[in-house]
Amino acid sequence: MTRALRLLRRRLVGSIFVLLIVVIGSFLLLEAAPGDAVDAYIVSTGGDAGMIELLRHRWGLDQSELTRLANYLWALLHLDLGQSVTFSRPIRDVIFERLPTTLILMGSATAFSFGLGSALGIYAGARPGSFRDRFLSVGSLALYAVPGFWLGLVLIVVFAVDLRWLPIGGIETIASAKTGFSRAADIATHLVLPVSALGFIYIALYLRMMRAGMAEAWRQDFVLAARARGLTRGRIVLAHVARNALLPLVTMLGLQSAQMLGGSVVIESVFAVPGLGRLAQEAVAGRDTPLLLGIILVSAVLVIVINLLVDLAYAFLDPRVGAGEASA
């Protein structure tokens, strides 16, 4: 436990510098992009030169870039993300209204892809070189090549438009007044298609990694020792081969969290899911730089937290991991 806490402390210290780089880099990149919130507002509603000057002063856009960056960093120290230009509300409130939806989508897709992918990888790697091994390897490669947005559109056409088994989009039925288990079931029904579109691609990745890890584990000496003790093939697969092949998948789980979050942006747009992805799209359309910065910051924190949890899980599964860092 002490080693894990020391490892966590070192990771947290490094994460502060990572967040600082993300915030400053994102701010400078967004400032370099053409147009701002005033331009988007004037295009949509119209206005004269006096209105433009008033809006720039109200939103602080008449200040220098360095001054705005310093003010933004000072506000972040007080946990203030600023005011959204598009929604005329505190950014913190807007983001935390949408964040649970993205977390549900990401968590469901991760559990779906990791669970099914690792199970299929164990099934394929239990007998390397067999027909099922080759079939699943080729099938996973084909699945990994499919774009997520295209798969999402195909799922909508087949299961929502033609068969009408599932809703087209959204996170729940609007104005349904459902509560408790009924509402949970309604949300689960709406999540089937977006979770499938987001998770199927990563199923292929976890399957191939698990299969490759098991193929490597079969050649290790501990497998020969297990066979010499007379253990059954099923026990060797589950207790020895699969367990050792699982460690790289845990590492990949943390590395893929950023890609999973990026993929959820596209999937949320395809299925009209009101999460951070849709919010980022609305912020870009409205040139709402403070809101977009807040979304990037929260997303970076989310990825860092996931990787911290993965590091702790890896250290728990393999006591050798992080021992040198924790004692340093």
Side-chain angles (χ1 to χ4, degrees):
M1 180 63 69
T2 302
R3 182 176 60 87
L5 291 177
R6 289 177 180 174
L7 179 62
L8 179 61
R9 183 179 60 188
R10 293 178 66 89
R11 292 288 192 267
L12 287 175
V13 173
S15 300
I16 295 175
F17 293 99
V18 171
L19 288 177
L20 185 62
I21 293 174
V22 168
V23 170
I24 295 177
S26 301
F27 183 90
L28 295 178
L29 287 175
L30 291 176
E31 288 295 325
D36 55 22
V38 174
D39 296 331
Y41 181 84
I42 295 300
V43 168
S44 61
T45 62
D48 53 15
M51 176 65 71
I52 293 176
E53 183 178 356
L54 177 63
L55 290 176
R56 289 189 182 279
H57 178 72
R58 177 185 300 174
W59 293 337
L61 298 176
D62 56 346
Q63 300 174 349
S64 66
E65 183 177 311
L66 185 60
T67 301
R68 293 201 302 274
L69 176 59
N71 292 336
Y72 185 74
L73 293 176
W74 178 253
L76 283 183
L77 290 177
H78 298 82
L79 302 180
D80 182 13
L81 298 179
Q83 194 83 3
S84 170
V85 175
T86 305
F87 296 92
S88 299
R89 296 174 55 201
I91 293 175
R92 183 171 53 189
D93 296 343
V94 176
I95 289 179
F96 282 99
E97 283 180 0
R98 305 285 190 97
L99 182 60
T101 301
T102 297
L103 291 178
I104 293 174
L105 177 60
M106 281 186 59
S108 302
T110 300
F112 172 63
S113 59
F114 186 83
L116 186 56
S118 58
L120 291 176
I122 293 174
Y123 181 70
R127 295 189 178 274
S130 62
F131 171 77
R132 70 188 187 192
D133 180 26
R134 292 193 293 268
F135 176 78
L136 289 174
S137 297
V138 173
S140 65
L141 183 61
L143 184 61
Y144 188 68
V146 176
F149 71 90
W150 183 85
L151 180 60
L153 293 175
V154 170
L155 292 176
I156 289 176
V157 171
V158 174
F159 294 100
V161 177
D162 292 342
L163 299 178
R164 297 187 179 183
W165 289 354
L166 297 167
I168 293 179
I171 190 64
E172 59 181 317
T173 305
I174 300 176
S176 62
K178 295 180 179 179
T179 58
F181 179 78
S182 178
R183 186 188 180 195
D186 182 54
I187 293 176
T189 303
H190 282 76
L191 283 175
V192 170
L193 292 183
V195 166
S196 299
L198 184 59
F200 265 120
I201 298 175
Y202 296 98
I203 286 177
L205 179 63
Y206 293 129
L207 189 158
R208 294 182 65 83
M209 285 198 63
M210 189 68 182
R211 187 266 172 197
M214 291 188 66
E216 178 66 25
W218 276 114
R219 297 191 288 266
Q220 301 300 318
D221 293 337
F222 63 82
V223 175
L224 295 177
R227 286 175 172 174
R229 293 199 304 269
L231 298 181
T232 62
R233 186 179 184 87
R235 185 172 180 182
I236 293 175
V237 169
L238 296 178
H240 298 279
V241 179
R243 181 178 180 181
N244 284 271
L246 188 63
L247 290 176
L249 264 71
V250 175
T251 303
M252 184 56 65
L253 188 65
L255 296 176
Q256 291 296 322
S257 60
Q259 293 188 17
M260 182 72 76
L261 183 59
S264 67
V265 173
V266 179
I267 296 302
E268 286 177 9
S269 300
V270 172
F271 289 95
V273 177
L276 288 184
R278 284 289 303 277
L279 186 62
Q281 183 182 15
E282 296 169 4
V284 171
R287 302 294 194 276
D288 196 342
T289 300
L291 178 57
L292 197 54
L293 281 172
I295 296 172
I296 294 173
L297 177 61
V298 172
S299 301
V301 171
L302 183 60
V303 171
I304 288 173
V305 170
I306 293 175
N307 279 274
L308 286 175
L309 295 176
V310 169
D311 286 341
L312 292 177
Y314 207 107
F316 176 77
L317 292 172
D318 189 350
R320 298 170 298 176
V321 177
E325 293 185 50
S327 61

